Amino acid sequence: MLKNTQYGYGWIAIFLHWLVAIAVFGLFGLGLYMVDLSYYDSWYKGSLDLHKSIGITLALVFALRLVWRITQVTPRAADPTLVWQNRLAHIAHGLLYVLLAVLLMTGYLISTADGRGIEVFSLFTVPSMGEFIDNQEDIAGLIHEYVAWSLIIFAALHALAALKHHFINRDSTLTRMLKATKGDNHE
């Protein structure tokens, strides 16, 4: 079952969800590693190129995920009676999307402020639009750092909420993101 139903997510949504999660946490770890490297470190340029290439790939996957989310049925809440929690969950998901979009945009602005494009795994180059404001690299870099930490914190809270649903509420919230659900067997 590739597509979403009113009872659960399809394999494409599940795959995109976990691919984005792994990329975000991987890029965060790589970013933390990179900031401790000096310009003369042997892997300074390689880690930077890898971070940019994965970031552009993540941007493409994120765009695909947005299109998929817009064109697919959104499964109903595992427990529709928890109105305020369901509303909070929708707000949290929206915030995760906004944070990721800002993170990707600021990464682009940092990387292209000097007018050079971003080489992606030596396959293609994303062109630069140049510097829009003075000190763009530093301003975007600061925003990028704060948004990265915010995204990781909210993603961790998102994971904790899924675990709470699984172990305390004992509903299908977590399992719906681990396996596709057929038809009307929603629990």
Side-chain angles (χ1 to χ4, degrees):
M1 185 160 138
L2 296 177
K3 293 184 172 188
N4 297 353
T5 69
Q6 65 177 333
Y7 303 109
Y9 295 96
W11 286 116
I12 293 174
I14 292 168
F15 174 75
L16 293 173
H17 172 270
W18 290 108
L19 183 60
V20 168
I22 290 166
V24 165
F25 279 95
L27 283 169
F28 184 76
L30 181 57
L32 286 178
Y33 172 76
M34 287 170 26
V35 296
D36 286 338
L37 297 176
S38 73
Y39 180 78
Y40 299 104
D41 192 291
S42 62
W43 210 57
Y44 176 80
K45 181 164 175 19
S47 64
L48 193 58
D49 291 344
L50 181 63
H51 190 83
K52 291 177 186 181
S53 290
I54 295 172
I56 293 295
T57 304
L58 175 58
L60 296 172
V61 171
F62 179 61
L64 178 61
R65 184 168 182 201
L66 285 175
V67 168
W68 190 256
R69 182 176 173 106
I70 291 167
T71 61
Q72 290 295 297
V73 169
T74 300
R76 67 182 191 193
D79 185 351
T81 63
L82 302 174
V83 176
W84 73 269
Q85 287 183 25
N86 293 327
R87 186 164 296 145
L88 186 61
H90 285 291
I91 292 168
H93 282 115
L95 183 59
L96 286 168
Y97 278 93
V98 168
L99 288 170
L100 184 53
V102 171
L103 190 68
L104 293 166
M105 285 187 283
T106 56
Y108 173 82
L109 293 174
I110 295 164
S111 300
T112 60
D114 63 0
R116 289 183 286 169
I118 302 170
E119 186 72 27
V120 181
F121 296 116
S122 299
L123 298 173
F124 63 94
T125 302
V126 176
S128 170
M129 293 192 294
E131 188 175 59
F132 294 104
I133 59 172
D134 290 337
N135 215 16
Q136 175 176 307
E137 186 175 6
D138 293 333
I139 294 168
L142 190 60
I143 295 168
H144 192 76
E145 179 182 0
Y146 284 118
V147 170
W149 278 102
S150 298
L151 181 60
I152 290 299
I153 290 166
F154 277 100
L157 291 173
H158 173 70
L160 289 173
L163 292 171
K164 176 243 181 216
H165 275 277
H166 188 72
F167 292 109
I168 295 172
N169 296 49
R170 297 192 185 279
D171 64 29
S172 64
T173 300
L174 177 61
T175 56
R176 292 190 314 171
M177 197 44 75
L178 296 173
K179 63 181 182 180
T181 307
K182 291 183 184 178
D184 60 356
N185 60 344
H186 56 283
E187 287 298 326

